[in-house]
Amino acid sequence: MPSTDPPTDHQEAQMPTPGALETSPRESVDSTLTHGSARSLLITILGELVWPTGQPVWTSTLVYVLKGLGIEEQTARQAIARASASGWITPERQGREVRWTLTDKLVHIFETGSRRVYSLSDPFTGWDGTWLALWTIIPQSLRRSRRPLYAGLTWAGFGNPVPGLWLTPHVERSDEVGRLLETLGLKQYTFAFTGNVGAIGIPQEEIVERGWDLATLRSRYEQVWEAMDALHPADANETLFAHIRVISEWQEFPRADPQLPEAILPDWVGRRVARRIEALRAQWTPVVRRRFAEINTP
């Protein structure tokens, strides 16, 4: 299952035995796909390959896969150490080796984040025209909450057509936004309304144009589509690395794609890209999980 976390603002181990690694990792999969940071790729590996099994993963396994994705070994080990420091994974030493188990904190992130990723292919045809609008006045004493607020609202699909005003057609996410405001101490500084766009003001089409940079997002989706056209993994290792790269790309899109309804964005390229990634994932997963199981041996 894809893994992503909502925005917020080690140990030595031997490599697996040579028999498990008959093919050397490649430095990159496809230059037109975002290479991703060591942190983001590690989270993808943990969510896509470790979480579904419920089994621990060796340091050597994580380093091997990250190296195959173009991450230097030292950087890979630093990413693992930082994931541990963040409370995402916990270590267990066995002799000279260390294996890692996902924490409840990370599992919760995967459970909530993966639902948002899967919803990218949903045409949202049941929208009744109702918008959720927020107007938040951030006092000077809480100015540090500005960045996490904006990141959280963007993750929830809000657009910002004018300073201070945030809008989304996803009224069903009001509870999520309420928890965000409560956590940041901004609930008492926020005005929230639901309703339709009135005919006396700026038309809905212009609000959408101002609220989201859909042209840039469309361009990125088209680049990913072309990149997938060029993916022809020749063996299990190449399939594993391509799989992680594509899933890592997929899980980043909820940060930018507001998932606007079909009534606003008919035949949106983002939904087509998401459906294609879902199909590729279904095709590659059996091979990828077998290969990962071979690598993840002490």
Side-chain angles (χ1 to χ4, degrees), residues 273-289:
V273 168
R275 287 193 290 267
R276 187 174 182 187
I277 292 175
E278 289 174 358
L280 274 178
R281 180 175 179 269
Q283 175 186 337
W284 287 344
T285 290
V287 173
V288 167
R289 290 187 178 172

Side-chain angles (χ1 to χ4, degrees), residues 21 30 34 81 101-102 107 112 129 143 159 164 205 216 228 238-239 267 283 286 295:
L21 304 179
D30 191 283
T34 300
T101 301
L102 308 188
V107 169
T112 56
R143 63 187 181 279
E205 293 78 10
T216 298
M228 288 190 290
E238 289 191 13
T239 304
D267 194 31
Q283 175 186 337
I295 299 169

